[in-house]
Amino acid sequence: VLAAVMRLYDLAGESYWHDEIIMLHVAQGDLGSILTGGRPPLFIILAHYWINLFGTSESATRILPALLGTLSIPLIYCVGKALFNEKVGLVSAFLMAVSQYQIYYSQDMHYYSLFVLLTLVSFYFYISALKIRKLFYFILYAFSTILLYYAHDFGLFIIAVQGIYFVLNIRALRL
């Protein structure tokens, strides 16, 4: 609740800045131009439908990334708990909830909050797949990681880190 309040507070307090105007313009295009525009399309497609439903005011458009940023809080708790314990998960969630950096980028009509959310989803299913070793988790990991790549090109770095960890620990993992 604290994370949501901090991310939704004063969304229209500042006018759009240059990158947000570009993102708004791209998101208002047709789906064909979004898919062929050379940008990672996932956030733009979400924003396209969001804008069609709620309009183009600063508040209306910035609610989408604010919600995505808020959804990251329970996910970092799950990742922290899966890697360490519940206490680490709770501390991680609290720190992310009050992080000025995370709040700032959750109030920006841009890719960043979706990228963080999908990075956490990918890591959660990666950890679950390696621990539980059920095909279901490997499929969820693959799907979330594909979405991560389509959210931002930097998703390749996340995939690389996961791959390096896997290669370096393959004997310990005994897959």
Side-chain angles (χ1 to χ4, degrees), residues 115 118-123 126 130 141-168:
F115 179 71
L118 289 174
T119 296
L120 291 168
V121 171
S122 175
F123 267 110
Y126 180 77
L130 294 179
Y141 164 69
F143 181 70
S144 64
T145 304
I146 290 167
L147 289 177
L148 171 63
Y149 175 72
Y150 283 106
H152 200 289
D153 294 336
F154 285 177
L156 287 176
F157 293 113
I158 304 302
I159 297 165
V161 166
Q162 293 168 340
I164 291 167
Y165 176 85
F166 182 81
V167 168
L168 292 176

Side-chain angles (χ1 to χ4, degrees), residues 67-81:
L67 292 175
L68 296 171
T70 302
L71 288 173
S72 296
I73 308 304
L75 276 166
I76 200 160
Y77 165 79
C78 293
V79 170
K81 183 178 176 187

Side-chain angles (χ1 to χ4, degrees), residues 8-174:
L8 293 172
Y9 174 74
D10 199 29
L11 281 179
E14 295 182 26
S15 296
Y16 285 126
W17 61 291
H18 181 70
D19 281 358
E20 287 180 303
I21 293 169
I22 292 170
M23 183 62 66
L24 189 62
H25 177 71
V26 172
Q28 288 176 317
D30 62 280
L31 289 180
S33 66
I34 291 171
L35 294 173
T36 60
R39 298 171 185 263
L42 187 57
F43 180 78
I44 301 169
I45 291 169
L46 289 173
H48 173 82
Y49 288 109
W50 188 270
I51 288 166
N52 287 339
L53 287 173
F54 300 106
T56 59
S57 71
E58 286 94 347
S59 294
T61 57
R62 290 176 179 158
I63 288 175
L64 175 62
L67 292 175
L68 296 171
T70 302
L71 288 173
S72 296
I73 308 304
L75 276 166
I76 200 160
Y77 165 79
C78 293
V79 170
K81 183 178 176 187
L83 285 174
F84 301 102
N85 57 45
E86 186 174 3
K87 185 177 182 179
V88 170
L90 287 170
V91 170
S92 300
F94 174 75
L95 291 174
M96 188 175 212
V98 298
S99 166
Q100 182 60 38
Y101 180 81
Q102 293 295 327
I103 294 166
Y104 177 81
Y105 283 106
S106 290
Q107 294 181 334
D108 184 16
M109 175 63 175
H110 227 271
Y111 304 94
Y112 308 121
S113 58
L114 179 62
F115 179 71
V116 169
L117 176 69
L118 289 174
T119 296
L120 291 168
V121 171
S122 175
F123 267 110
Y124 178 75
F125 287 127
Y126 180 77
I127 294 161
S128 298
L130 294 179
K131 280 186 174 181
I132 300 170
R133 300 181 186 188
K134 300 248 183 202
L135 180 62
F136 176 71
Y137 289 104
F138 284 99
I139 292 169
L140 290 175
Y141 164 69
F143 181 70
S144 64
T145 304
I146 290 167
L147 289 177
L148 171 63
Y149 175 72
Y150 283 106
H152 200 289
D153 294 336
F154 285 177
L156 287 176
F157 293 113
I158 304 302
I159 297 165
V161 166
Q162 293 168 340
I164 291 167
Y165 176 85
F166 182 81
V167 168
L168 292 176
N169 293 287
I170 195 160
R171 287 188 181 160
L173 296 171
R174 297 184 200 145

